[in-house]
Each structure stands twice: as C-alpha cells, then as structure tokens.
Amino acid sequence: MPNKPVLTTLTAHSVGIINAIRNNASADYYNAVPAAENTTDSIRAVGQAITAFQPRMNEFISALVNRVARVVVNSKMYQNPWAFAKKGVLEFGETIEEIFIDIANAVPFDPDNAVTDVFKRNKPNVMSMFHAMNMQTEYPVTISQAQLRQAFLSLDGVTDLIARIVNSLYSAANYDEFIMMKYVIAQVALAGGLTNKAITAVSDAATASAAIIDIKAASTKFGFMSNDYTAAGNRNFVDKDNIYAITTADFDAVTDVDVLAKAFNIDRANWVGRHVSIDSFGFNEGELDRLDQLLADDPTYVAAMTTNSGHGISTTENNALKTITAVIMDEAWLQVYDVLNQFTEIYNPKGLYWNEFFHVWRIYSASPFVNALMFSSTANSVTSVTVNGNTTGTAGNRYQFTATVVAGTFTNKGVTWSTNNANVTIGSDGLLNVPAGVTGNIVVTATSVVDGTKKGTKTIAIS
C-alpha cells in the first residue's frame, strides 16, 4: 500500500544544515571539517576545509542534494494545489490493483426454497482495475565548483544554493504533474468515460447561476446510491466531505465563492479546501509541447501526434476540452501515485561540476468505480449503433459480439445487451451464451446507454 511522506518544512539556516551534514558524515569528513558557527568567518573556514579536498566536496554535495533537497522537493510536491489526487508513494512494485465489490443482490424470502438454496453460491460482483506506472521522467541539474565556493561566502549561502537546486527541480516536476493530471481528465472525458452534463456556456452571472443550479443538484445526488456517475456502471455514492470540485478561472471569475460553497452544502472554509481552480481543461501551446516531451515513449500518443500533425491531442479535441466548465469528483477518482523520487549524481572532473538527476516515476490514472461528473457546453449525441459478430452458430457454444457506437465528443459509447430469446443470455461484455437445445434465429440487440432510441441488431442463426 502507498504511504504519504511526512511533510517537512526546511527551517534550518546554513549553519544548522552544514552541522547536520557533518554529524552524519564519514569520520574523515567529520574530523577534517570544523563545526560551523553563526559567523561569516566560521562559514568561510568550513568552506575552505570542504573545497580543499575533492572527496569532501563530493560528500557534501551528495548529502546536500540527497538528504536536504529531497526533503524539500517531496514536501513541496505534497503541498501543491492538486495534492488531493496524490495517494502516496509505492514502496514496492509498479502497479496498484483497485478492487471494488458491488452491493449484494436482493432475493425475496421463500422458506419453501430453504432446502435447495441454503448451500447455493451467491458470488459477489467483484470488479478490479490495475493502475500501472505510465510515466518515467528525469530532471537534470548541474552544480559547479564555483557555485559551491560561493555558498560559503555568506551566512545564507548554503540555503540559497539549496533554493536554486530545489526550485529548478520542483518547478519542472510540479508543472509536469499538473499537466499529466489534466491529461488524465482529458483522456477519460474524450473516451466518454466521464459522465457529461450539458450546460449553457458560462459567460456571465446569469449563465453561471444556471450552472450552479446543475452543480448543486449533482453534488446532492452524489450522496445517494446510483450507477449514473461511474464509468464501470457500478453503484456508488460520495459523502459531501469527500467531494472535490475543479472549476475554470473563467467560471470562478463570474461566480461568488459563498454561492459555490452553498451549492455543495458546506461552509466557505471547507469549500476552499476542496476546490481547485484550473486555467482551462484544454491545453495551451506550451502544455501541448510539454506533453509531447513527456509522452514521447507512449506509442499511442506518438501515433496520435502523427495523425494530428504535431500533437497527441487534435485541435478538435482540444477545442472540445475548452468547453468544460467544471468537474466534480470523489477524491478517490484521480489515482496518482509516486513510484520513485530519487536523486543520482556524477562528478565531471574535466568540467569541475556535478550533474544531479532527479528521477520521477508516476502512476497517473482514474478510477472507474467512483463518482465523477463534468459540466460542458458540448451536448451528448449518438448517431448510430452497429452490432458486429457471428451470423451463424450451434447450440451449446458462446459467441462474442461487439458494438460500434458513433457518438459526439464526451458521449458515453457504452451499450446494454439483450436478446429476443429468454433462454439465451448475453453478458454486459457482449458474450452470448447459447444453451444446448436452442435453435432458430436469435436477435442480439445493443442499445445506447445515453440514447435508448439508438439501437443496433445482429441476427445469428443457431442450428
């Protein structure tokens, strides 16, 4: 299971940091480097002892980056506005299995069946999904001997050096983390896996008020058991204390904070804690360029880059994403895990510098079993449903059917399956089970879960 690291704020000044490194250093380093005092002369004396011998410089830089900078980076990563989505650090493995057990079926009480049913197996509806590591990134930073020597010229020199290192690494990693979380929402939405509530585009107080009415209704409905808001179609609910909302800057600009808090039936303070703003659910050019770098090893994304003449998200898709005004979700919907946060380093004696590499491995995913709902001005639409599968078969066998749904952007392309024969069953996955003794034509029907008037059929002749 993942563990969230203890958040630590670096409050020590240069003297405290230098002495902490000395106290945990090798015997040679400890004996050669004097304890630092809160004077410029003392700091310079320590610097002379460290920079006079290459192994001591290596040991100091290693401790400075791996012990101090890492603590600061980790703390910052878990204090960013999207930190609610981060579930912790995986100490072992690269995959998380999410398991959901649906509620039990209800069966009428019948004492006449007690003898036959008492040992009957009632298997629970157990669903699972694997969230696998899908991002491995490294961030390089160089520290020169000149920078190290300058760190010992003033009382704040070492903390200034740490700040330069950390800001470079943290800014890059945190920015990429934000883009990838945004990308998860985009991918699920574009695939129709995020329930879409069509609203009028928010442009002023009147349209914002109309949107808030829909948001309030949905946030209230989240508290009741339903299968309307889960991608897997299972029943679930969310306590209001676990609902998070992501809204665009344009929406926030025309919406009163107190009004939004009331929409979620919580006070203003709690709303602020569970509300995250976003510039847009679409991507600007810089974010698209960054995604192209981050996902350069993803074959699906690279294929999309070729199709879209440059980026893995097409202009049409991006324009659709920009019509999303808000997303409300169970805090467990976004599944983001740290797999690895590790510094490695190497000294270049020819160039007189250290190259530090901050390795960041992540799982970015979304749960299909918990509630999430988005509000956009793009309406749901289904054009057609086509069923694909065998046209002939024999009794006692199973046959796989699939459905092709032509639908608008953000529209759920799921279907429900049925047949015209009560003796023949078909599962939610389209697998038709034809018992022995059944003959004749069986009509398999796939009905859109969004528009019940849109259906597709396929007839299979059983002999």
Side-chain angles (χ1 to χ4, degrees):
M1 293 298 293
N3 293 315
K4 283 198 173 183
V6 177
L7 300 186
T8 303
T9 301
L10 185 64
T11 58
H13 46 70
S14 294
V15 171
I17 294 170
I18 291 171
N19 286 334
I21 292 174
R22 176 177 181 267
N23 293 336
N24 291 279
S26 64
D28 175 76
Y29 182 102
Y30 183 88
N31 293 327
V33 177
E37 297 177 1
N38 198 28
T39 65
T40 302
D41 289 340
S42 175
I43 295 294
R44 290 178 176 175
V46 170
Q48 290 174 355
I50 292 174
T51 57
F53 189 45
Q54 186 64 53
R56 286 186 212 128
M57 285 193 288
N58 293 343
E59 190 169 352
F60 179 81
I61 289 293
S62 179
L64 188 70
V65 173
N66 286 298
R67 296 179 186 174
V68 182
R70 180 176 180 177
V71 169
V72 180
V73 168
N74 274 344
S75 293
K76 285 180 175 287
M77 299 283 264
Y78 279 86
Q79 292 172 345
N80 70 63
W82 292 74
F84 77 92
K86 301 192 69 174
K87 303 303 182 282
V89 180
L90 290 184
E91 295 184 354
F92 304 99
E94 300 175 353
T95 304
I96 282 285
E97 181 182 14
E98 182 184 7
I99 298 175
F100 181 86
I101 302 177
D102 208 354
I103 61 175
N105 293 323
V107 179
F109 174 70
D110 187 350
D112 293 336
N113 294 331
V115 174
T116 57
D117 290 353
V118 66
F119 292 114
K120 182 179 179 180
R121 297 182 65 184
N122 296 283
K123 296 181 179 179
N125 183 15
V126 180
M127 295 173 280
S128 68
M129 178 177 179
F130 288 91
H131 304 284
M133 182 176 66
N134 51 10
M135 178 60 60
Q136 292 177 277
T137 311
E138 65 179 44
Y139 301 93
V141 62
T142 297
I143 304 172
S144 67
Q145 282 199 13
Q147 288 176 306
L148 179 59
R149 293 180 188 281
Q150 290 173 0
F152 295 101
L153 297 180
S154 67
L155 288 174
D156 297 324
V158 173
T159 52
D160 288 343
L161 177 59
I162 294 172
R164 288 197 296 272
I165 298 169
V166 169
N167 288 340
S168 170
L169 298 172
Y170 161 71
S171 296
N174 194 41
Y175 177 58
D176 291 342
E177 198 168 73
F178 164 74
I179 293 175
M180 285 303 298
M181 291 182 189
K182 189 172 174 179
Y183 180 69
V184 170
I185 296 175
Q187 287 299 97
V188 177
L190 292 169
L194 186 55
T195 305
N196 177 41
K197 172 66 176 177
I199 61 173
T200 302
V202 176
S203 58
D204 52 28
T207 51
S209 296
I212 289 170
I213 292 174
D214 288 325
I215 290 174
K216 181 174 182 178
S219 67
T220 301
K221 290 177 182 178
F222 266 25
F224 297 91
M225 188 72 74
S226 169
N227 61 354
D228 292 335
Y229 308 111
T230 60
N234 58 284
R235 302 175 185 88
N236 212 333
F237 70 96
V238 190
D239 186 275
K240 67 178 183 179
D241 292 332
N242 294 326
I243 298 176
Y244 276 79
I246 304 174
T247 57
T248 63
D250 292 337
F251 178 73
D252 292 344
V254 294
T255 307
D256 184 80
V257 173
D258 291 318
V259 173
L260 273 173
K262 291 178 182 176
F264 286 85
N265 299 312
I266 57 179
D267 58 49
R268 180 188 178 114
N270 285 337
W271 161 252
V272 172
R274 292 197 292 277
H275 170 233
V276 177
S277 292
I278 192 172
D279 55 341
S280 168
F281 286 95
F283 297 87
N284 59 43
E285 196 64 27
E287 290 171 336
L288 289 172
D289 289 339
R290 195 73 174 185
L291 275 177
D292 295 342
Q293 297 173 23
L294 292 169
L295 299 173
D297 291 334
D298 184 332
T300 302
Y301 189 89
V302 171
M305 288 175 64
T306 303
T307 304
N308 299 330
S309 302
H311 296 304
I313 294 178
S314 69
T315 301
T316 301
E317 292 172 333
N318 203 27
N319 288 337
L321 292 169
K322 292 176 182 179
T323 69
I324 303 175
T325 295
V327 174
I328 63 174
M329 64 181 72
D330 185 320
E331 67 174 334
W333 188 76
L334 275 171
Q335 294 283 307
V336 180
Y337 298 88
D338 291 0
V339 179
L340 180 71
N341 291 321
Q342 181 175 322
F343 285 94
T344 58
E345 64 188 0
I346 188 169
Y347 178 69
N348 186 326
K350 185 176 179 61
L352 301 178
Y353 59 79
W354 294 265
N355 270 341
E356 302 286 339
F357 301 90
F358 181 40
H359 294 267
V360 176
W361 298 0
R362 295 283 186 269
I363 292 173
Y364 292 103
S365 187
S367 171
F369 309 125
V370 300
N371 289 11
L373 174 67
M374 73 178 188
F375 301 84
S376 80
S377 56
T378 300
N380 296 315
S381 62
V382 179
T383 303
S384 64
V385 179
T386 305
V387 177
N388 312 294
N390 291 48
T391 56
T392 61
T394 56
N397 290 306
R398 294 182 177 182
Y399 298 94
Q400 181 68 59
F401 288 82
T402 59
T404 302
V405 181
V406 178
T409 306
F410 302 148
T411 302
N412 188 335
K413 297 178 178 61
V415 297
T416 56
W417 294 94
S418 61
T419 71
N420 65 336
N421 190 320
N423 296 319
V424 177
T425 59
I426 186 167
S428 59
D429 57 354
L431 184 62
L432 183 75
N433 181 32
V434 184
V438 172
T439 59
N441 291 337
I442 297 173
V443 180
V444 175
T445 302
T447 304
S448 167
V449 298
V450 173
D451 184 351
T453 66
K454 298 297 190 296
K455 302 179 180 181
T457 62
K458 173 73 73 171
T459 299
I460 177 171
I462 302 299
S463 60

